[in-house]
Amino acid sequence: QLHATPAAAATRAEVENAILQAMLERPVASSRPSDSALEGLLRFKEKKEELKLKAWMEMPAHLRPAPSPTDMGCPPNYVTETARGLTLPVQMAVDPKWSTDLKKMNEKVGACIKYQAKLSSSVPGQISPELPFMWRKDYLSNPPTPHFVAGRRPVHPADRPLRV
């Protein structure tokens, strides 16, 4: 309050008195309001939804915003195929319906990969094994592949005799 004039001080005192008078005359709010702000907001949202539904129902059927006929049988999918392909195995592994089947398939594929790695001479300096020294297959191929029997010459299907 630097350089306050006596007239400004008088008007300021009058304003302060008027504010105090108004505060004293105002009814005191109870400590527990009957309607909280949250209840008011929920009521407002509910009324807004009711009005929206009412406006939608009053609209003629052919003008109502509804899914287009092209979207009715196929809902929109906002997940890319790459993302779906990456998340699907994880979702299936968590699902009890698929987890046991996936575990069996994983074991079969793993056995097949190990067998093929043994045959492929993947170790430096190794050569492919000859027939007497070949490893036994620890897995069943599906469909079963024709197997080689020592001493029997493979016959082409066209060279087989006809059965009458």
Side-chain angles (χ1 to χ4, degrees):
Q1 291 200 356
L2 297 174
H3 311 295
T5 61
T11 55
R12 181 184 171 110
E14 290 172 2
V15 170
E16 287 177 358
N17 287 337
I19 291 173
L20 285 173
Q21 198 73 8
M23 287 177 64
L24 291 174
E25 292 174 2
R26 191 176 70 184
V28 179
S30 65
S31 61
R32 175 86 176 132
S34 60
D35 188 21
S36 70
L38 177 63
E39 290 170 353
L41 177 68
L42 293 176
R43 244 188 304 109
F44 172 75
K45 285 187 174 184
E46 190 176 304
K47 185 157 183 131
K48 186 177 175 184
E49 286 295 319
E50 287 174 8
L51 290 172
K52 195 182 213 181
L53 182 64
K54 182 181 176 191
W56 188 80
M57 292 302 282
E58 289 174 354
M59 194 179 296
H62 69 284
L63 294 178
R64 289 182 188 162
S68 70
T70 56
D71 293 341
M72 286 179 138
C74 184
N77 187 7
Y78 300 112
V79 179
T80 63
E81 282 300 309
T82 304
R84 187 183 143 294
L86 291 172
T87 57
L88 188 64
V90 176
Q91 291 172 351
M92 290 173 75
V94 173
D95 187 3
K97 175 183 174 186
W98 292 103
S99 61
T100 53
D101 295 340
L102 283 174
K103 191 168 188 294
K104 288 178 189 175
M105 286 170 43
N106 190 34
E107 289 171 0
K108 288 179 186 177
V109 169
C112 179
I113 291 171
K114 281 183 186 175
Y115 179 77
Q116 290 171 353
K118 287 178 185 177
L119 289 182
S120 69
S121 303
S122 59
V123 177
Q126 181 182 358
I127 59 170
S128 295
E130 294 183 12
L131 183 62
F133 305 106
M134 287 191 60
W135 293 275
R136 186 172 79 55
K137 263 190 188 180
D138 295 331
Y139 68 96
L140 294 174
S141 49
N142 187 12
T145 54
H147 60 281
F148 179 77
V149 177
R152 186 189 306 163
R153 187 173 74 81
V155 180
H156 192 270
D159 297 336
R160 292 191 180 132
L162 295 175
R163 295 182 185 173
V164 183

